[in-house]
Every structure is written in structure tokens, then in C-alpha cells.
Amino acid sequence: MKNILSLTLLLIAITIKAQDYNSICQKGIGHIKENDYSQAITCFEEATAYSSNNYEKVYALANLAYSYQMLDELPKALKEYDKALEIAPNEMTLLQQRANIYLQLDSIEQALKDYNELIKHEPSNTGALLCRAHIYTNIGEYDKAWKDYEQLQLWIPDNLSVRLGIAMLYQKERRFDECLMVLSGMIEEFPNIAELYIARSNLERERGHNELAMIDLEKAIELDPENANNYILQAIIYEKMGKKEAARKCREKATLMGADSDILEF
């Protein structure tokens, strides 16, 4: 009788714990849908304590990591993705999220390691291939970057990110005419995308064509006037043109608008 009672109490406790876990997770998902990530973090931290198996714990950790990620608390998000991947190392979605965070944190070697592992398991993962091509471009492994872009062109030939990546690769290789041809073609096709004008402005600035660079940047600002970083780029061009006062005013405006501190030091 005593054993039966103990077993019954145990089953009741397990049922209550499962109900608590599900209820907490539902609240957490509700907060994510409402973009209230601070409350979601509170819920999923609690859910990890109530999880009764690895599946439940990984689910809670993944949502906890995502919530930190959305608050731009990337080191904390990385820590939770690490925990989840320790339990489920073959979960490719988690691996891709961690790779993306490594890339944002400029942990290039770690990001490349994760993308390589991901592509080994999912050779047709275009998102991972695109990120790896971007890394190869920026670390100077141009042959490897071209190999990835050639594959991407076969699978998603009209993708804007792929086309822009190829333009950036041309620029890195100092094949400026080919880069300009790609960017100008994209601008003709998509005249309302500010990032394309910024890319062409950066190319013209590198070539020393500051007046042309300014024309493109002014168009980018017209399309996206709330992007503070554009005014920093404008200040850089003014400085190259010898217009120190105009550059100073642009930097002040960018600072007031919350420009990226890394670009402030460009």
C-alpha cells in the first residue's frame, strides 16, 4: 500500500511539473509574439528549471537564446546556444543560429567552423553558404568565396544578397569595373534600395571619385534618412573633399541619432 501511495504521489508530481512547464512555455511564446523579450527570458529561464527531459530543456534554452538575441545581448544568447548544443549537438537550426552570432561578434574562426559543420550536414543550405562566402571574402580566401558564390548562382541566381556579395568580392579583388557593372545593374533594377547606393558609394570612394560617392550617398540618405550610419559615411567623404566643417556637422548629427561607434572610428 505504501509503495502504491508513493508511486501515485510521484505520478502526480510529474504531471504537475509537466503542466507547469507547458504553461510557462506558452506564456514565454506569447511574450515573444508581443516582442516582450525581457518577459520571455524570465519565462524560459523558469522553464529550464521545470524541464523533465532533454527535449524540453533544449526547447527552453533555444527560446531563451533567441530572446537574448532579439535584445542584442549576443554574449548571453551565445551562452544559451552553447548549452543547448551540448545536449543536442546535431540540431542544425541551433548550430546555424550560433554561427550567425559568432559572425556578428566577429568571432570569425568560430563562425567558419560552425558554418563548415552545418554545410557538411546540409550541403544545400544557401544561408550558410552565403555567410561562408562572406567570411571567405573578408579573410582574403577569394577562390573559396568564388566556389561558394558559383554554387549559390546555380541555386538562387537572382538573389540580391548573392549578387551584392559577388560585387563585394569583385571590389576586394580590385576588379572595380566589374564591381561597378554589377552594382549599377542592381540599382537600375531596384532603384529604391538604399544599401545598393551605399555599396556603390563605397566603391567610388575607394576609387577616389568622391563627388560620385557623395551623389550615391545622398540618394541613400533620401531613401533612408533615419539611418545614422549614413551620416558618418557622408562625413568621411566630406573629410576626403577637405570640407571639415560639413564633416563635423554630419558626425554630430550621426552621434545624436545613435550611430554605430565602430563606424564613427572608420
Side-chain angles (χ1 to χ4, degrees), residues 106-159:
D106 290 327
S107 298
I108 301 303
E109 289 184 9
Q110 293 296 330
L112 185 56
K113 181 181 177 182
D114 276 357
Y115 286 126
N116 282 335
E117 184 67 19
L118 185 60
I119 292 165
K120 184 171 75 174
H121 286 84
E122 299 178 354
S124 60
N125 187 319
T126 55
L129 270 175
L130 183 59
C131 289
R132 189 173 72 174
H134 171 76
I135 291 173
Y136 283 146
T137 298
N138 282 281
I139 65 176
E141 296 197 29
Y142 303 140
D143 288 344
K144 291 181 179 179
W146 276 118
K147 186 176 180 181
D148 281 348
Y149 279 127
E150 286 165 4
Q151 187 62 65
L152 286 163
Q153 282 184 302
L154 290 174
W155 288 336
I156 44 175
D158 297 323
N159 183 273

Side-chain angles (χ1 to χ4, degrees), residues 2 39 49 60 74 88 98 135 140 146 160 166 202-203 228 231 243-244 249:
K2 183 177 180 180
Q39 288 299 317
L74 300 184
R98 187 175 72 177
I135 291 173
W146 276 118
L160 280 177
I166 288 171
N202 290 339
L203 170 66
Y231 298 98
K243 298 180 179 181
K244 303 297 183 184
K249 289 180 180 179

Side-chain angles (χ1 to χ4, degrees), residues 12-260:
I12 291 171
I14 291 171
T15 301
I16 293 172
K17 187 173 182 180
Q19 289 173 343
D20 286 341
Y21 172 86
N22 291 332
S23 175
I24 293 165
C25 286
Q26 285 175 2
K27 287 181 182 178
I29 293 298
H31 289 311
I32 287 176
K33 289 179 179 178
E34 295 170 359
N35 300 323
D36 188 351
Y37 299 108
S38 295
Q39 288 299 317
I41 286 168
T42 299
C43 287
F44 286 111
E45 283 179 337
E46 189 176 356
T48 58
Y50 276 92
S51 60
S52 59
N53 55 57
N54 284 343
Y55 173 82
E56 290 182 350
K57 192 161 189 176
V58 168
Y59 179 81
L61 288 169
N63 282 285
L64 180 57
Y66 175 79
S67 299
Y68 277 127
Q69 192 173 353
M70 295 306 293
L71 289 176
D72 206 30
E73 296 188 40
L74 300 184
K76 291 182 179 179
L78 183 60
K79 184 178 179 180
E80 301 307 324
Y81 280 126
D82 283 343
K83 290 178 184 177
L85 282 163
E86 284 179 9
I87 300 169
N90 294 320
E91 181 50 62
M92 294 297 107
T93 301
L94 296 177
L95 190 65
Q96 184 153 4
Q97 290 287 6
R98 187 175 72 177
N100 294 343
I101 290 178
Y102 275 136
L103 190 57
Q104 288 178 267
L105 292 172
D106 290 327
S107 298
I108 301 303
E109 289 184 9
Q110 293 296 330
L112 185 56
K113 181 181 177 182
D114 276 357
Y115 286 126
N116 282 335
E117 184 67 19
L118 185 60
I119 292 165
K120 184 171 75 174
H121 286 84
E122 299 178 354
S124 60
N125 187 319
T126 55
L129 270 175
L130 183 59
C131 289
R132 189 173 72 174
H134 171 76
I135 291 173
Y136 283 146
T137 298
N138 282 281
I139 65 176
E141 296 197 29
Y142 303 140
D143 288 344
K144 291 181 179 179
W146 276 118
K147 186 176 180 181
D148 281 348
Y149 279 127
E150 286 165 4
Q151 187 62 65
L152 286 163
Q153 282 184 302
L154 290 174
W155 288 336
I156 44 175
D158 297 323
N159 183 273
L160 280 177
S161 295
V162 172
R163 293 164 69 183
L164 185 57
I166 288 171
M168 297 303 98
L169 183 50
Y170 278 136
Q171 186 173 349
K172 284 285 189 178
E173 292 185 322
R174 303 187 67 80
R175 295 163 66 179
F176 295 142
D177 290 341
E178 289 156 293
C179 177
L180 181 61
M181 183 175 65
V182 173
L183 290 174
S184 296
M186 293 173 72
I187 287 171
E188 185 176 348
E189 192 174 351
F190 303 99
N192 296 318
I193 299 179
E195 290 78 9
L196 298 179
Y197 292 95
I198 291 170
R200 192 168 69 179
S201 176
N202 290 339
L203 170 66
E204 295 293 15
R205 175 162 51 84
E206 185 175 350
R207 300 178 82 179
H209 301 164
N210 294 318
E211 291 79 8
L212 292 174
M214 183 62 79
I215 290 170
D216 273 340
L217 192 52
E218 286 174 348
K219 180 62 178 180
I221 290 172
E222 177 188 324
L223 291 169
D224 189 12
E226 300 305 314
N227 188 332
N229 295 335
N230 290 346
Y231 298 98
I232 290 299
L233 297 174
Q234 192 174 42
I236 291 167
I237 297 173
Y238 274 134
E239 287 167 353
K240 288 182 176 293
M241 297 170 73
K243 298 180 179 181
K244 303 297 183 184
E245 182 61 19
R248 183 187 64 79
K249 289 180 180 179
C250 285
R251 285 187 181 276
E252 286 180 352
K253 182 172 184 178
T255 301
L256 289 173
M257 294 175 69
D260 188 325

